């Protein structure tokens, strides 16, 4: 059966969304007037994401890309979360095609893990990001470098590193998703590529030895101190009730922020360690005075040189056969 080329276009762009460890944990099912998006639990991260919260945030990012691509093809979209298990995007051909200005940014967006240039983002640009539409029960907080709360968040990143880098299960899971050289990354087309960290392309046994020496509390905190000092802002995303539907909604808002910041030449990277450690997250709520909220995603923003892109698997391999 010939598949709708517009729908394939939407799925291809959805697969360019970010995901934890670049696991790409999504599957798609094409129907007559809708596309369903399912979690691929074979790509789960049971240690760092035991409740699948970050996985569903990633699905939300993919949904947002799909909707942006749909508008580019002249479709109206309606998103529904079905039984907290999958997402249905209803598609209706719109007689008045309305291109989305963020569509070109889907291919350009990247997670930039480098040390940034140290320049401050102008307040006018931050205001644009603050005015991006958000989904129900989602909140976003911006913290400027030099502020008390920025330093508090930095300290919580270091605490998160201390806990995670002394957790052998966490380190085992992390190394499972590392791609040590060009041959390795090209084979899997997923995971944490050596190139995105600025590492050289060397034989795998050498890369594994070097990385094994770098995966520890002292080295991670040293590197993150430089990255945080070079960034302009932290951005914290929270939900009200910590539900699947809200995680998906948060992912959609996150992707809007990432695409808009990309359009403005602003780099981003994740520092989600405090949200992944429950005791640190509880302390974050208290110290930042955001009661009754659930910290979910923390990113840093700034200006930096483009880095190599993470690879993606063939999007067609993520498409399920319809019944």
């Amino acid at each position: 059966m010939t598949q709708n080329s517009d729908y394939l276009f939407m799925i291809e762009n959805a697969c360019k969304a970010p995901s934890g460890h670049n696991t790409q944990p999504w599957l798609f099912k094409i129907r007559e007037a809708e596309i369903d998006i399912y979690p691929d639990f074979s790509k789960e991260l049971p240690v760092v994401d035991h409740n699948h919260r970050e996985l569903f945030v990633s699905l939300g990012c993919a949904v947002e890309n799909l909707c942006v691509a749909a508008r580019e093809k002249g479709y109206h979209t309606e998103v529904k979360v079905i039984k907290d298990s999958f997402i249905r995007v209803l598609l209706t051909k719109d007689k008045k095609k309305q291109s989305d200005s963020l569509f070109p940014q889907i291919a350009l967006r990247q997670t930039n893990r480098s040390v940034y240039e140290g320049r401050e983002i102008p307040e006018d640009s931050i205001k644009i990001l603050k005015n991006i539409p958000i989904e129900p029960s989602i909140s976003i907080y911006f913290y400027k470098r030099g502020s008390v709360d920025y330093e508090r968040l930095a300290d919580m990143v270091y605490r998160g590193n201390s806990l995670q880098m002394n957790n052998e299960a966490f380190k085992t899971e992390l190394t499972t998703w590392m791609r040590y050289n060009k041959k390795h990354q090209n084979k899997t087309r997923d995971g944490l590529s050596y190139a995105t960290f600025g590492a050289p392309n060397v034989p795998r046994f050498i890369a594994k030895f070097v990385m094994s020496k770098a995966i520890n509390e002292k080295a991670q905190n040293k590197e993150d101190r430089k990255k945080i000092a070079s960034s302009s802002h932290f951005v914290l995303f929270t939900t009200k009730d910590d539900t699947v539907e809200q995680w998906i909604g948060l992912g959609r808002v996150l992707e809007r922020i990432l695409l808009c910041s990309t359009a403005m030449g602003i780099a981003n990277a994740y520092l989600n360690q405090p949200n992944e450690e429950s005791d640190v997250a509880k302390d974050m709520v208290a110290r930042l005075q955001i009661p009754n909220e659930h910290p979910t995603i923390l990113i840093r923003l700034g200006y930096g040189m483009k880095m190599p892109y993470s690879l993606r698997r063939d999007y067609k391999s993520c498409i399920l056969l319809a019944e």
Side-chain angles (χ1 to χ4, degrees):
M1 182 177 71
T2 302
Q3 292 179 311
N4 187 312
S5 60
D6 286 350
Y7 290 8
L8 294 178
F9 175 84
M10 297 172 202
I11 292 172
E12 181 179 14
N13 281 281
C15 289
K16 294 176 183 176
S19 57
H21 293 0
N22 189 30
T23 56
Q24 305 167 46
W26 38 63
L27 295 166
F28 302 85
K29 186 173 288 185
I30 297 174
R31 302 185 186 277
E32 184 176 348
E34 61 204 36
I35 297 174
D36 293 341
I37 305 177
Y38 293 85
D40 182 355
F41 291 120
S42 71
K43 305 295 190 300
E44 68 178 349
L45 299 169
V47 178
V48 77
D49 187 31
H50 63 91
N51 60 355
H52 299 130
R53 183 170 71 178
E54 293 180 16
L55 187 153
F56 278 102
V57 169
S58 298
L59 295 190
C61 292
V63 168
E64 187 62 20
N65 275 5
L66 191 147
C67 291
V68 171
R71 286 192 289 274
E72 185 69 16
K73 287 293 185 179
Y75 289 81
H76 171 76
T77 60
E78 182 182 355
V79 176
K80 296 183 178 181
V81 178
I82 310 297
K83 298 180 180 178
D84 282 349
S85 59
F86 70 95
I87 305 139
R88 174 159 290 164
V89 182
L90 304 175
L91 298 158
T92 307
K93 196 69 174 177
D94 196 335
K95 294 180 180 179
K96 294 182 179 179
K97 180 181 177 182
Q98 296 180 343
S99 296
D100 194 309
S101 61
L102 291 181
F103 173 73
Q105 309 309 318
I106 291 177
L108 299 177
R109 183 212 58 81
Q110 65 173 187
T111 301
N112 189 325
R113 299 179 178 87
S114 69
V115 175
Y116 296 161
E117 299 170 2
R119 287 191 288 135
E120 184 179 303
I121 300 172
E123 192 57 38
D124 286 351
S125 296
I126 295 297
K127 186 176 180 180
I128 291 172
L129 296 178
K130 287 181 177 180
N131 287 333
I132 285 176
I134 61 174
E135 298 296 306
S137 301
I138 309 301
S139 296
I140 312 175
Y141 299 93
F142 290 76
Y143 301 99
K144 186 178 178 180
R145 187 182 66 222
S147 67
V148 172
D149 285 339
Y150 189 92
E151 296 307 319
R152 285 174 175 157
L153 278 167
D155 287 341
M156 285 182 262
V157 170
Y158 310 141
R159 284 175 57 193
N161 283 337
S162 298
L163 291 168
Q164 292 183 343
M165 289 299 167
N166 286 289
N167 181 341
E168 290 303 318
F170 169 85
K171 291 195 287 186
T172 297
E173 182 175 83
L174 177 64
T175 55
T176 298
W177 286 95
M178 285 187 170
R179 307 299 180 240
Y180 291 101
N181 57 23
K182 187 174 182 179
K183 181 179 179 181
H184 191 194
Q185 72 160 18
N186 289 350
K187 180 180 180 181
T188 64
R189 303 192 69 82
D190 62 9
L192 300 166
S193 169
Y194 75 102
T196 64
F197 291 95
N201 182 32
V202 297
R204 187 166 169 176
F205 76 94
I206 296 176
K208 290 186 73 170
F209 175 77
V210 172
M211 290 303 296
S212 69
K213 299 300 181 182
I215 303 176
N216 61 72
E217 176 186 348
K218 182 178 179 180
Q220 188 66 47
N221 276 334
K222 180 181 179 181
E223 190 65 20
D224 282 346
R225 286 182 194 279
K226 291 188 291 185
K227 292 177 178 179
I228 290 170
S230 73
S231 300
S232 175
H233 286 71
F234 280 129
V235 187
L236 177 66
F237 298 77
T238 70
T239 66
K240 181 181 178 182
D241 304 304
D242 210 28
T243 63
V244 168
E245 187 166 359
Q246 290 175 14
W247 299 340
I248 293 166
L250 187 150
R252 296 192 65 189
V253 176
L254 169 63
E255 187 69 352
R256 289 170 198 160
I257 292 283
L258 298 181
L259 295 178
C260 188
S261 60
T262 299
M264 294 189 288
I266 298 171
N268 72 85
Y270 297 88
L271 283 173
N272 219 35
Q273 300 92 314
N275 302 320
E276 295 164 347
E277 297 295 327
S278 59
D279 288 342
V280 183
K282 290 176 184 177
D283 190 30
M284 184 190 303
V285 169
R287 296 182 71 188
L288 297 180
Q289 298 182 22
I290 49 173
N292 305 315
E293 296 193 45
H294 297 268
T296 303
I297 297 292
L298 179 66
I299 64 173
R300 63 186 176 100
L301 299 178
Y303 295 102
M305 294 181 61
K306 281 284 188 181
M307 295 292 288
Y309 282 80
S310 298
L311 300 185
R312 292 293 188 273
R313 293 188 293 273
D314 183 351
Y315 72 92
K316 292 181 181 179
S317 69
C318 301
I319 298 176
L320 300 170
L321 294 177
E323 295 90 348

